[in-house]
Amino acid sequence: MTVSPTPSPAPRREAAETVETVFRMESPRIIAGVTRVVRDVGIAEELAQDALVAALEQWPRDGIPANPGAWLMAAARNRAVDLVRRRENYARKLAEIGRAQPDAAPPEEPADPDDIDDDLLRLVFTACHPMLSTEARTALTLRLLGGLTTAEIARAFLVPEPTVAQRVVRAKRTLATKNIAFEVPRGADREARLGSVLDVIYLIFNEGYAATAGDDWLRPSLCEDALRLARVLAGLMPKESEVHGLAALLEFQASRTAARTAPSGEPVLLQDQNRSRWNRMLIARGVAALGRAEATASGAPGPYLLQAAIAACHAHAPTYEETDWARIATLYGLLAARSPSPVVELNRAVAVSMSEGPGAALPLVDALSADPALRGYHLLPSVRGDLLSRLGRRAEARTEFERAASLARNQRERDLLLRRAAEQG
């Protein structure tokens, strides 16, 4: 009897690392493709995990296949077909997924690559269904589309791991029990659902760009995940202006990452950033994406296109002082008309302070003080403190910075605000 040699530890380790890398890259497409077969996101993820386990067992022994992604897809789809065949309503379900499924393994390459993209787009809209809470959408999107583990999501949002696990489980159960269609909605429903998708991706990016709580100001991995999701969505929906607008906005914002923190980790404000450290390649990508957003826009520009245009003004300015603040104030005015928000009005006040002076902006900020939506929002007293400082009213400015610090949940930001309060003398 011939005994197959046991692979040495190095090739086994290399194969295992390849499996994990390929699975992280391909899992969204695999889950999407399998969901089309079984019509259940939770079951699809389990079958994808089964394919991962099979790869971890076979690849170190048999070698890494020429097309690892196609191998994983075929293995997962095989399991999906077997599952459907075992169901009591086998005949009806088999008719839904294809009348002539062969007994042999599926081909290594999908018959139509466009089908895979369609399935991925369906998965995006399913994970961000408005029936789910914002927290559930975010967790499920990062899990299914970002490839993050429950532990990674919990660390990113500073919540207990069981909390994230419960959100994901409940989201999957809701999608299954409510019979949420695995489809890309059309017409007005699609427009409404697309807003939810974009908002979730933007929320993920913002949590990485300026963490709401904890000791770290930046969480770059979350920014990278959101940027990757935005790029994927732009590729899947090339005619949607707002999708390109979001991609452009995130490219511009991400370009500043290296300059936003000092070596010791404390935040560096926009006016103090070394612009030579801004990533020119990401800025170029942002310019290109903004061009696509403008070219595909019909009617009034959407909120993400407007925000991207504002970010472009910063990206093109040689210095903070040379920024086209008047244009930014105008764009914020358009954004406020399109998507009314006290936060947008606060940002417009900052732009007005730079284009017309702090005296012109202070009444705008004071008018927002009674808005209940900004109660507890630390940036309101922070902006007011900055305006008062520039007007020479340092004692009042110090009080505002101290109040802002007391409201801030992020330790790095709190330290910055306390330092600004101390600078007022």
Side-chain angles (χ1 to χ4, degrees):
M1 181 178 68
T2 302
V3 179
S4 300
T6 301
S8 63
R12 288 184 65 86
R13 185 167 56 252
E14 178 185 353
E17 290 174 352
T18 300
V19 173
E20 293 173 5
T21 300
V22 172
F23 185 78
R24 189 157 195 146
M25 294 171 59
E26 296 293 332
S27 61
R29 291 176 180 272
I30 295 170
I31 294 170
V34 174
T35 301
R36 177 153 59 110
V37 177
V38 298
R39 300 288 169 173
D40 188 304
V41 170
I43 293 175
E45 187 183 13
E46 291 175 6
L47 295 174
Q49 291 289 339
D50 288 346
L52 171 64
V53 171
L56 288 169
E57 292 173 349
Q58 296 181 38
W59 292 10
R61 182 188 67 219
D62 302 336
I64 299 170
N67 191 330
W71 191 100
L72 287 167
M73 176 69 83
R77 290 175 70 186
N78 268 344
R79 285 162 172 76
V81 171
D82 289 343
L83 177 64
V84 172
R85 283 175 172 161
R86 288 196 300 269
R87 291 175 176 171
E88 291 182 355
N89 54 356
Y90 155 74
R92 180 173 60 82
K93 285 293 183 182
L94 193 59
E96 291 177 4
I97 66 171
R99 296 181 179 280
Q101 284 286 355
D103 290 333
E108 287 217 342
E109 293 290 349
D112 184 356
D114 289 339
D115 284 349
I116 300 299
D117 282 349
D118 288 345
D119 288 340
L120 189 57
L121 190 56
R122 293 184 185 101
L123 184 61
V124 171
F125 277 90
T126 301
C128 295
H129 197 282
M131 185 170 286
L132 305 176
S133 69
T134 300
E135 294 81 5
R137 289 180 226 166
T138 302
L140 194 61
T141 300
L142 284 173
R143 174 78 175 178
L144 299 181
L145 296 160
L148 273 67
T149 65
T150 301
E152 288 171 330
I153 299 170
R155 282 198 302 271
F157 285 91
L158 302 180
V159 295
E161 189 173 337
T163 300
V164 173
Q166 289 172 5
R167 288 174 183 171
V168 172
V169 168
R170 288 171 183 165
K172 293 177 187 175
R173 186 184 303 128
T174 298
L175 294 176
T177 57
K178 299 295 184 181
N179 293 317
I180 302 299
F182 183 62
E183 64 182 6
V184 177
R186 299 182 181 278
D189 187 32
R190 173 170 173 165
E191 184 177 349
R193 292 268 294 279
L194 179 59
S196 171
V197 172
L198 298 181
D199 289 348
V200 166
I201 295 175
Y202 190 43
L203 175 64
I204 293 169
F205 182 89
N206 273 347
E207 187 58 32
Y209 194 69
T212 55
D215 297 329
D216 296 321
W217 171 242
L218 285 176
R219 297 195 189 112
S221 61
L222 269 183
C223 293
E224 292 163 6
D225 287 326
L227 186 54
R228 178 162 50 84
L229 290 173
R231 290 169 178 169
V232 167
L233 195 60
L236 295 173
M237 305 183 73
K239 297 181 180 180
E240 292 287 349
S241 172
E242 278 293 85
V243 173
H244 293 300
L246 175 66
L249 173 61
L250 300 196
E251 300 280 7
F252 285 131
Q253 299 286 71
S255 72
R256 305 179 205 158
T257 299
R260 294 187 71 240
T261 54
S264 56
E266 67 266 23
V268 178
L269 298 175
L270 181 62
Q271 60 263 38
D272 300 323
Q273 289 175 18
N274 179 355
R275 299 192 174 210
S276 67
R277 300 189 66 199
W278 287 6
N279 189 310
R280 309 316 298 183
M281 182 192 73
L282 292 180
I283 290 175
R285 290 183 64 103
V287 170
L290 179 57
R292 289 190 289 270
E294 293 172 339
T296 53
S298 59
Y304 285 111
L305 193 160
L306 289 169
Q307 290 179 77
I310 291 168
C313 291
H314 291 296
H316 292 313
T319 66
Y320 185 76
E321 291 72 22
E322 293 175 272
T323 304
D324 190 347
W325 291 106
R327 173 168 169 72
I328 290 177
T330 299
L331 289 169
Y332 270 123
L334 294 174
L335 182 60
R338 181 73 167 77
S339 301
S341 161
V343 173
V344 171
E345 291 292 354
L346 183 62
N347 286 325
R348 186 173 75 88
V350 173
V352 168
S353 79
M354 295 302 299
S355 61
E356 302 177 29
L362 188 57
L364 302 178
V365 173
D366 287 343
L368 295 171
S369 299
D371 195 309
L374 295 183
R375 187 179 296 117
Y377 187 55
H378 69 286
L379 292 183
L380 177 61
S382 174
V383 168
R384 192 168 190 276
D386 182 71
L387 298 179
L388 291 168
S389 178
R390 288 163 58 191
L391 289 169
R393 296 160 60 176
R394 295 188 174 275
E396 295 172 81
R398 180 187 180 101
T399 299
E400 290 297 309
F401 284 130
E402 289 174 344
R403 187 161 73 90
S406 70
L407 296 172
R409 294 169 55 201
N410 183 279
Q411 185 60 49
R412 296 287 188 178
E413 197 167 13
R414 189 181 301 119
D415 292 343
L416 172 64
L417 290 165
L418 289 174
R419 187 167 65 250
R420 295 202 69 190
E423 290 169 354
Q424 303 310 309

